[in-house]
């Protein structure tokens, strides 16, 4: 047989060494990628993701004090629990791109190698190349014309022509130039294919990867057949490689270990592809492929006796061997990356069958040829490929014949598996195209058909089942998804499919279905943290607390430190009110970055009325909130707001503006409002909450109640009563009690009594007791029994109905209370009423007797009364000292602002007074004495329009304030807007006694007439 001309061996080694090193690097990289994909691909294709459940939990935000009673301001907290679900299966276009890159490298080396081989090898090699190019169906990508095979012809011409030229006419051309030529040609074809393809690069890569399946299976099969006996060969080397006969084992040890090895393979085949080596450790035939490839690569030169007539130079065989390993690794890596289980199982089964049949034939070959030498403990491995009785090719024929017989017994099911894998890849391709055109159902239906064909060839294989389930999920076909996943589990257990199926059973009536799925999955995966954790969560919906604790312990043992499990455990402790255990776990998780765990920790702190904050900022202005991230932000913002911290206020509008956060719109608006409320922006808080309070649903009722409570806290019972009554009518369950108090404070005891009587004791015992105490002080004859009742009831009566007493009894009634703390509360309620009645001297005398020092704790409300006394009596130095040294806290700081404005006015600083009064009008229109003083100041400055607008803002916010209504009606006269004063005038008539209203009406008419006379023309 003629041999192509090549340079001498010394020259050859020089120009072969570099390309072989690069090929070895590519093979090493591909094998490393296999290891990486083997360890991580399943989690990439089917990632395990926690599913967050937010359970509303009522928490106490603050209280509104009405005398001795503390009316609760409640909001929802969110208890975060998590179960596990499986996303995907995700497509892997990047893996397909990597596959095509490795195939391109292998093709370049293969063409360069066979172009220097003998004629028969060249023809056989080119046949394989043609088979590869035809199987890719590249013309379907629309490079030229999908109806014509122009690209195939172009590829055959560009690759086959130079290969034949080098083989027939230039056999002396070194390897490196050949590689360069073919690299340019293959690279150019690839560039044309990807640049001119009608689809995206990802679609092109998946197309080539899908149609490469058959060629890849052939390459993998060729490699397996090449190294099928190498493990037995390696055992022979281990038995006979020692330098001395004493170190060699001989025939029987070799026969024993070889029989054990082959028996293990036979057991794998007979036991339905399952061999348990150790508890939890199963045999994977791909592990056996690794030493076979290594032994085969190391023994290539010794094996030259079997192929030197066909390929006379070992370097060519080394390239061909490296190309086969590279292709097989690429195929296996792609199958792992896409979780294509028919391909993976076919590879395993074929590897076992080939290793068993050819390995057994090789063992027979060794025994027939070298048994006497083995008995003599000679180094048989050196001559193992130089048989004397039974030829090497006959060994292969025997092994392949046995392999075909065994495959025929199963009706060549391996081919069906490869075809099923191909259909799975085509299904992925169609699914990707359907994602690029979501409105076109044709591609989605085509993908489903491909998966169905795969399912028919390899019944209920997981790749096809999960692909169809993903399509059903996209179309919201829940029952179809459940059915396909149940059939997949009938094929073999799968932790992730079980978790996905369990996640679909999410209705309250699905309890036992979900329980059955999880318990069945746990039999196959008893150490799964996700399965045990989900079972613990499922049992937490029942009263079986021992089962919850049992599965929690198993889950933690399987995955200690898992933040999902810790968050669930903390949520369970909170739900069961196991406060010591909850506090211990929360303390241990202070530095954890997990949103769910931090959210539950903050909720626990809120329930315990403690201060807590996250270690880090929970979100960023441009971020999309996850459910757990939202819950953490919610509790963080709630806690900060109650500490009067407005740090997060700029963050909330940015989050509201993000379209992805639309589902949390109402809660984010609520957080903004509550941050404004307790940060001192009371008017802004009411405006922020106003859109949520529109409507008649339960949600609007809550926000209406919240508005009413905040108005009540600002000392505006009339508008508070209106909002609370609206909330009660719209179904707010806890609005009755504050409504009754607001009505009582506005002088409507009969209406308050009717509402309080309807509050049931059994629904909320605490609210029922408060209602009973309210009813006691609302009795019509209570004033007659005032001296006989307890101090607490007398104090509460004065706080709620103290304005009903005669002016002369306002302060003495508070002095009759003997308990100091209760007397303080009563005095604080009666002193402002006495001031309104003009009893300034009596109020000042009382303050001197009972008020604490101006810097003392709790002195803030007393300082407000002191300041009003000083303003009324024009004691400006005393007021200056009070403003500078006195304690003003919370809403009382707005009164301090009013006092500063009054001081500026008194000190002849009109510009400063204007600025302070404008600030007061903008921030605190509920401070009626301040707004009246501001209007008076503007009137003296002859700025009648500003005076009118100031009072208009006041009555818009507090339409039932008698001082503001009087001042507004009178302020409308100078600006000529008396027609707008008719409605306030009518409202004032409903609030004043007839005598008082007649007096004011006379004053109003007098001023109006004087204004008319002044404005009349002289003639």
């Amino acid at each position: 047989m003629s041999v192509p001309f090549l340079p001498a061996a010394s020259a050859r080694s020089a120009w072969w060494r570099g390309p072989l090193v690069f090929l070895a690097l590519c093979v090493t990289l591909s094998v490393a990628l296999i290891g990486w994909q083997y360890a991580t691909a399943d989690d990439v294709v089917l990632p395990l993701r926690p599913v967050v459940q937010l359970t509303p939990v009522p928490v106490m935000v603050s209280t509104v004090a009405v005398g001795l009673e503390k009316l609760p301001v409640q909001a929802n907290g969110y208890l975060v629990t998590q179960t596990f679900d499986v996303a995907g299966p995700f497509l892997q276009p990047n893996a397909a791109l990597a596959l095509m890159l490795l195939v391109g490298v292998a093709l370049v080396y293969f063409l360069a190698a066979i172009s220097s081989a003998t004629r028969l090898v060249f023809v056989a090699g080119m046949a394989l190349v043609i088979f590869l190019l035809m199987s890719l169906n590249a013309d379907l990508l629309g490079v030229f014309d999908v109806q014509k095979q122009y690209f195939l012809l172009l590829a055959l011409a560009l690759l086959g022509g130079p290969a034949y030229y080098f083989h027939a006419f230039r056999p002396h051309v070194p390897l490196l130039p050949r590689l360069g030529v073919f690299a340019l040609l293959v690279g150019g074809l690839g560039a044309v294919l990807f640049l001119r393809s009608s689809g995206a690069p990802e679609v092109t890569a998946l197309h080539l990867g899908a149609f490469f399946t058959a060629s890849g299976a052939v390459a993998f099969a060729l490699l397996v057949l090449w190294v099928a006996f190498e493990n037995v060969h390696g055992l022979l080397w281990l038995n006979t490689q020692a330098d001395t006969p004493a170190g060699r084992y001989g025939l029987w040890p070799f026969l024993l270990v070889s029989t054990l090895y082959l028996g293990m393979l036979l057991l794998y085949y007979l036991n339905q592809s399952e061999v348990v080596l150790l508890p939890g450790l199963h045999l994977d035939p791909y592990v056996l492929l690794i030493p076979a490839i290594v032994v085969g690569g190391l023994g290539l030169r010794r094996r030259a006796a079997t192929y030197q007539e066909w390929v006379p130079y070992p370097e060519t065989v080394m390239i061909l061997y490296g190309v086969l390993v590279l292709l097989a690794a690429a195929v296996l890596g792609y199958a792992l990356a896409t979780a294509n289980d028919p391909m993976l199982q076919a590879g395993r089964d074929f590897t076992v069958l080939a290793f068993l049949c050819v390995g057994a034939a090789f063992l027979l070959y060794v025994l027939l040829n070298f048994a006497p030498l083995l008995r003599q403990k000679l180094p048989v491995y050196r001559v193992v490929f130089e048989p004397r009785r039974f030829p090497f090719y006959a060994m292969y024929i025997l092994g392949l014949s046995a392999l075909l017989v065994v495959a025929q017994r199963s009706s060549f099911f391996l081919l069906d598996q490869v075809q099923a894998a191909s259909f799975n890849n085509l299904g992925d391709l169609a699914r990707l195209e359907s994602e690029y055109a979501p409105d076109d159902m044709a591609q989605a239906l085509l993908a489903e058909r491909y998966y169905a064909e795969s399912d028919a060839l390899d019944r209920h294989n997981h790749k096809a089942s999960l692909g169809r389930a993903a399509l059903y999920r996209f179309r919201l076909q829940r029952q179809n998804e459940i059915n396909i996943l149940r059939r997949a589990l009938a094929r073999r257990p799968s932790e992730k499919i079980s978790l996905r199926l369990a996640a679909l059973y999410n209705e309250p009536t699905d309890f036992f279905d979900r329980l059955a799925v999880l318990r069945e999955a746990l039999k196959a995966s008893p150490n799964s943290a996700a399965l045990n954790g989900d079972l613990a969560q499922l049992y937490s919906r029942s009263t079986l607390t021992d089962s919850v604790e049992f599965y929690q312990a198993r889950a933690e043992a399987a995955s200690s430190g898992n933040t999902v499990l810790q968050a669930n455990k903390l949520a369970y402790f909170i739900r069961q009110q196991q406060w010591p255990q909850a506090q211990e776990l929360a303390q241990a998780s202070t530095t954890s970055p997990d949103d769910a765990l931090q959210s539950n920790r903050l909720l626990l702190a809120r329930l315990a009325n403690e201060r807590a904050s996250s270690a880090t900022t929970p979100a960023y202005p441009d971020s999309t909130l996850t459910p757990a991230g939202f819950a953490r932000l919610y509790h963080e913002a709630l806690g900060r707001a109650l500490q009067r911290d407005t740090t997060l206020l700029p963050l909330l509008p940015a989050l509201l503006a993000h379209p992805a956060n639309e589902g949390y719109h109402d809660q984010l608006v609520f957080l903004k409002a509550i941050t404004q409320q307790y940060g001192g922006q009371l008017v802004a808080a009411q405006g922020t909450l106003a859109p949520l309070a529109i409507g008649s649903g339960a949600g609007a009722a809550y926000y209406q109640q919240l508005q009413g409570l905040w108005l009540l806290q600002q000392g505006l019972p009339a508008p508070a009563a209106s909002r609370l009554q609206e909330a009660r009518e719209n179904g707010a369950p806890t609005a009755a009690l504050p409504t009754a108090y607001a009505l009582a404070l506005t002088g409507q005891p009969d209406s308050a009594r009717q509402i309080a009587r309807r509050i049931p004791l059994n629904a909320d015992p605490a609210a029922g007791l408060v209602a009973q105490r309210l009813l006691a002080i609302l009795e019509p004859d209570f004033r007659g029994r005032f001296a006989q009742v307890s101090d607490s009831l007398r104090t509460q009566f004065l706080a709620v109905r103290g304005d009903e007493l005669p002016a002369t009894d306002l302060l003495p009634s508070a002095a009759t209370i003997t308990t100091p703390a209760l007397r303080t509360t009563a005095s604080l309620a009666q002193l402002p009423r006495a001031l309104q009645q003009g009893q300034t001297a009596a109020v000042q005398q009382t303050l001197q007797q009972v008020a604490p020092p101006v810097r003392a704790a709790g002195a803030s409300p007393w300082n407000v009364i002191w300041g009003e006394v000083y303003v009324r009596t024009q004691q400006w130095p005393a007021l200056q000292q009070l403003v500078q040294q006195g304690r003003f806290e919370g809403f009382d700081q707005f009164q301090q602002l009013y006092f500063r404005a009054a001081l500026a006015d008194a000190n002849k600083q009109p510009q400063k007074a204007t600025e302070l009064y404008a600030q007061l009008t903008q921030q605190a229109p509920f401070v009626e004495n301040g707004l009246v003083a501001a209007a008076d100041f503007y009137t003296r400055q002859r700025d009648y329009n500003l005076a009118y607008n100031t009072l208009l803002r006041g009555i818009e916010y507090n339409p039932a304030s008698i001082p503001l209504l009087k001042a507004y009606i009178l302020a409308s006269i100078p600006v000529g807007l008396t027609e707008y004063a008719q409605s306030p005038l009518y409202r004032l008539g409903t609030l004043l006694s007839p005598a008082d209203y007649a007096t004011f009406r006379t004053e109003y008419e007098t001023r109006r007439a004087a204004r008319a006379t002044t404005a009349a023309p002289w003639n």
Side-chain angles (χ1 to χ4, degrees):
M1 183 179 295
S2 61
V3 176
F5 172 77
L6 289 174
S10 59
R12 276 202 316 273
S13 62
W15 51 259
W16 283 77
R17 187 177 299 115
L20 283 175
V21 170
F22 180 76
L23 179 60
L25 289 176
C26 291
V27 171
T28 304
L29 176 63
S30 63
V31 173
L33 289 176
I34 286 179
W36 174 257
Q37 296 291 352
Y38 191 88
T40 64
D42 190 54
D43 292 330
V44 174
V45 177
L46 297 168
L48 201 62
R49 293 182 176 176
V51 178
V52 176
Q53 298 89 33
L54 301 180
T55 304
V57 177
V59 296
M60 182 78 72
V61 175
S62 65
T63 58
V64 176
V66 181
L68 300 178
E69 303 294 355
K70 306 293 183 183
L71 302 180
V73 179
Q74 291 186 328
N76 277 340
Y78 293 97
L79 191 65
V80 181
T81 56
Q82 298 172 91
T83 54
F84 290 96
D85 193 4
V86 177
F90 291 111
L91 304 177
Q92 302 298 318
N94 290 334
L97 287 170
L99 171 66
M100 288 299 103
L101 179 62
L102 294 177
V103 169
V105 172
L107 183 59
V108 169
Y109 272 90
F110 187 75
L111 289 169
I114 64 172
S115 63
S116 65
T118 60
R119 180 64 50 84
L120 185 60
V121 173
F122 173 75
V123 171
M126 286 307 300
L128 292 175
V129 172
I130 294 172
F131 170 71
L132 170 64
L133 294 176
M134 292 178 64
S135 67
L136 292 178
N137 286 314
D139 286 289
L140 295 179
L141 291 169
V143 176
F144 299 113
D145 186 350
V146 295
Q147 303 297 329
K148 307 293 183 180
Q149 293 187 327
Y150 293 148
F151 184 83
L152 175 61
L153 295 176
L154 176 64
L156 290 175
L158 289 179
L159 298 180
Y164 181 75
Y165 175 78
F166 284 129
H167 173 76
F169 303 109
R170 291 290 185 270
H172 60 279
V173 175
L175 177 64
L176 198 57
R178 294 172 189 251
L179 288 175
V181 170
F182 288 117
L184 289 175
L185 292 174
V186 172
L189 287 172
V192 170
L193 196 59
F194 277 89
L195 293 176
R196 290 186 57 86
S197 172
S198 59
E202 293 82 2
V203 174
T204 303
L206 278 183
H207 172 97
L208 296 175
F211 285 102
F212 178 70
T213 305
S215 300
V218 170
F220 183 82
L222 289 175
L223 176 66
V224 171
L225 291 175
W226 188 320
V227 301
F229 65 89
E230 293 292 357
N231 282 335
V232 181
H233 181 203
L235 294 175
L236 177 65
W237 178 83
L238 287 174
N239 276 270
T240 63
Q241 52 81 32
D243 294 334
T244 62
R248 302 180 191 125
Y249 295 102
L251 175 62
W252 293 108
F254 166 69
L255 189 60
L256 176 62
V257 295
S258 299
T259 304
L260 288 174
Y261 163 73
L262 295 173
M264 180 178 62
L265 296 178
L266 180 62
L267 182 62
Y268 182 91
Y269 171 72
L270 296 176
N271 199 37
Q272 302 295 321
S273 304
E274 185 75 22
V275 172
V276 180
L277 303 176
L278 292 172
L281 180 62
H282 298 257
L283 172 66
D284 192 334
Y286 290 132
V287 177
L288 300 177
L289 193 57
I290 297 173
I293 292 174
V294 173
V295 173
L298 295 175
L300 281 178
R301 290 187 179 274
R302 192 175 296 114
R303 194 172 171 178
T306 64
Y307 59 75
Q308 60 185 357
E309 294 183 3
W310 309 94
V311 186
Y313 300 109
E315 293 86 352
T316 304
V317 176
M318 293 173 66
I319 288 181
L320 294 177
Y321 185 77
V323 166
L324 273 184
V325 175
L326 181 60
L327 285 175
V331 171
L332 182 57
Y334 187 63
L336 287 168
T338 56
N340 199 342
D341 54 314
M343 189 69 172
L344 294 173
Q345 193 58 43
R348 290 186 175 97
D349 292 344
F350 184 77
T351 299
V352 167
L353 287 177
F355 279 25
L356 176 60
C357 296
V358 180
F362 184 76
L363 177 61
L364 179 63
Y365 162 85
V366 171
L367 294 177
L368 290 176
N369 289 299
F370 309 107
L373 300 180
L374 286 171
R375 289 192 186 95
Q376 301 172 34
K377 296 186 177 181
L378 296 177
V380 176
Y381 74 94
R382 295 180 181 176
V383 295
V384 71
F385 295 111
E386 300 175 13
R388 293 294 182 264
R389 297 179 181 176
F390 186 57
F392 183 77
Y393 71 87
M395 179 274 296
Y396 253 117
I397 292 175
L398 177 62
L400 291 177
S401 299
L403 176 60
L404 289 174
V405 169
V406 175
Q408 192 275 336
R409 282 189 72 255
S410 62
S411 302
F412 296 100
F413 181 62
L414 289 171
L415 299 179
D416 290 340
Q417 287 181 305
V418 173
Q419 188 66 18
S422 178
F423 278 125
N424 281 336
N425 288 332
L426 289 171
D428 286 350
L429 171 62
R431 190 152 69 94
L432 180 63
E433 291 178 328
S434 72
E435 291 178 1
Y436 280 106
D439 296 331
D440 184 7
M441 292 299 296
Q443 289 297 329
L445 294 174
L446 180 60
E448 184 179 355
R449 185 60 192 166
Y450 280 135
Y451 290 133
E453 290 293 334
S454 172
D455 203 338
L457 291 168
D458 187 10
R459 296 297 293 170
H460 309 320
N461 70 81
H462 287 182
K463 170 71 173 176
S465 298
L466 288 167
R468 294 173 73 182
L471 294 171
Y472 294 144
R473 190 184 319 172
F474 179 77
R475 299 202 294 261
L476 303 178
Q477 298 176 354
R478 175 177 178 267
Q479 191 57 50
N480 285 345
E481 186 178 358
I482 289 175
N483 294 340
I484 198 69
L485 293 178
R486 292 185 73 91
R487 288 198 293 267
L489 289 175
R491 169 74 179 266
R492 70 173 185 275
S494 169
E495 175 192 4
K496 292 190 173 181
I497 293 181
S498 297
L499 287 168
R500 177 59 196 157
L501 180 58
L504 289 173
Y505 289 123
N506 53 5
E507 300 294 333
T509 56
D510 296 334
F511 180 90
F512 291 104
D513 290 325
R514 183 166 188 164
L515 177 63
V517 170
L518 292 174
R519 292 183 66 179
E520 190 65 28
L522 207 57
K523 294 178 182 178
S525 305
N527 295 323
S528 168
L531 290 172
N532 283 290
D534 272 15
L535 266 174
Q537 279 304 107
L538 184 62
Y539 276 118
S540 68
R541 291 161 49 184
S542 69
T543 58
L544 303 176
T545 56
D546 54 341
S547 296
V548 178
E549 295 169 359
F550 173 75
Y551 285 109
Q552 280 181 346
R554 288 187 58 172
E556 290 178 357
S559 179
S560 60
N562 189 310
T563 54
V564 172
L565 302 178
Q566 290 178 348
N568 286 344
K569 191 172 185 179
L570 181 55
Y572 176 73
F573 286 151
I574 293 173
R575 185 182 290 116
Q576 297 296 318
Q577 299 184 9
Q578 299 179 12
W579 306 120
Q581 297 91 325
Q583 291 287 359
E584 181 181 355
L585 182 56
Q587 190 66 30
S589 59
T590 303
T591 59
S592 173
D594 183 68
D595 286 337
L597 189 55
Q598 286 298 322
S599 174
N600 286 343
R601 192 179 69 83
L602 293 169
L603 174 61
L604 176 65
R606 176 52 39 212
L607 292 172
N609 199 24
E610 296 176 352
R611 288 190 177 185
S613 61
S614 297
T616 58
T617 303
Y620 298 97
D622 58 346
S623 66
T624 300
L625 290 175
T626 62
F630 156 72
R632 177 179 180 177
L633 170 69
Y634 181 89
H635 295 134
E636 177 82 12
L638 196 61
R640 289 179 180 269
L642 299 181
Q643 298 171 25
R644 306 187 186 282
D645 181 353
T646 59
T647 304
L648 296 179
L649 195 56
L651 170 65
L652 297 173
L655 291 174
L656 279 166
H658 203 292
N661 297 329
E662 182 63 27
Y664 309 112
H665 176 270
D666 289 3
Q667 290 82 0
L668 292 174
V669 171
F670 164 74
L671 289 179
K672 180 181 177 182
I674 204 169
T675 302
Q676 291 170 331
Q677 171 71 16
Y678 295 101
Q681 303 176 30
L682 283 68
V683 180
Q686 291 284 340
T688 300
L689 212 57
L692 301 182
I694 298 173
S696 57
Y702 167 75
Y703 296 115
Q704 291 161 2
Q705 178 180 348
L706 187 60
Q707 282 185 313
L709 286 169
W710 286 349
L711 290 169
L712 193 61
Q713 194 172 26
Q714 296 167 27
L716 307 177
S722 175
R723 295 306 279 165
L724 290 168
Q725 181 67 15
E726 187 177 359
R728 193 176 72 86
E729 293 173 354
N730 289 332
T734 58
L737 184 60
T739 304
Y741 263 109
L743 291 172
L745 288 168
T746 56
Q748 303 178 57
D750 295 336
S751 300
R753 188 162 51 248
Q754 290 179 5
I755 294 175
R757 283 174 178 170
R758 298 174 187 171
I759 299 175
L761 286 172
N762 53 358
D764 186 353
L769 292 175
V770 175
Q772 292 301 312
R773 291 194 290 269
L774 175 60
L775 285 171
I777 64 170
L778 290 177
E779 291 297 329
D781 61 343
F782 186 86
R783 286 177 59 184
R785 299 183 292 109
F786 183 82
Q788 288 77 35
V789 298
S790 64
D791 280 358
S792 60
L793 284 179
R794 282 192 285 171
T795 301
Q796 192 65 8
F797 173 82
L798 293 178
V800 177
R801 300 177 60 191
D803 56 343
E804 299 178 9
L805 297 176
T808 55
D809 293 341
L810 290 176
L811 296 180
S813 61
T816 61
I817 298 175
T818 57
T819 307
L822 300 180
R823 184 168 61 248
T824 298
T825 302
S827 298
L828 286 174
Q830 294 295 80
L831 285 170
R833 293 166 179 158
L835 273 178
Q836 291 179 1
Q837 296 296 327
Q839 303 177 19
T840 307
V843 169
Q844 185 169 1
Q845 182 180 0
T846 303
L847 287 174
Q848 292 171 348
Q849 294 173 354
V850 301
V854 295
R855 295 183 181 179
S860 180
W862 297 97
N863 292 340
V864 170
I865 302 173
W866 270 120
E868 184 63 21
V869 169
Y870 293 150
V871 170
R872 289 173 180 256
T873 57
Q874 299 185 2
Q875 300 180 45
W876 307 120
L879 181 62
Q880 181 75 36
Q881 184 178 6
L882 177 67
V883 169
Q884 293 176 350
Q885 300 179 3
R887 180 190 293 265
F888 292 89
E889 299 173 339
F891 300 156
D892 293 339
Q893 293 175 352
F894 296 113
Q895 291 285 349
Q896 184 185 30
L897 179 62
Y898 157 52
F899 298 150
R900 290 171 56 202
L903 281 172
D905 182 16
N907 293 332
K908 308 301 181 183
Q909 299 174 339
Q911 184 176 357
K912 182 178 180 181
T914 301
E915 294 175 357
L916 292 174
Y917 277 129
Q919 184 179 352
L920 179 68
T921 305
Q922 180 66 29
Q923 296 180 1
F926 51 87
V927 181
E928 59 181 27
N929 53 353
L931 263 64
V932 171
D936 179 67
F937 168 75
Y938 295 140
T939 300
R940 286 187 277 108
Q941 297 292 319
R942 307 189 69 80
D943 193 342
Y944 301 115
N945 286 326
L946 187 54
Y948 174 83
N949 290 329
T950 298
L951 293 169
L952 177 61
R953 178 169 174 77
I955 65 169
E956 286 176 346
Y957 195 83
N958 184 11
S961 170
I962 294 175
L964 287 176
L965 286 171
K966 287 182 176 180
Y968 170 77
I969 294 169
L970 296 178
S972 67
I973 298 174
V975 294
L977 297 175
T978 54
E979 63 273 14
Y980 292 106
Q982 297 306 309
S983 178
L985 193 60
Y986 173 79
R987 192 184 314 145
L988 185 64
T990 64
L991 298 174
L992 292 175
S993 65
D996 292 339
Y997 179 70
T999 302
F1000 176 77
R1001 188 63 185 260
T1002 301
E1003 180 184 359
Y1004 169 70
E1005 296 296 344
T1006 302
R1007 291 195 183 188
R1008 186 178 178 183
R1011 172 66 179 175
T1013 302
T1014 304
W1018 63 271
N1019 58 348

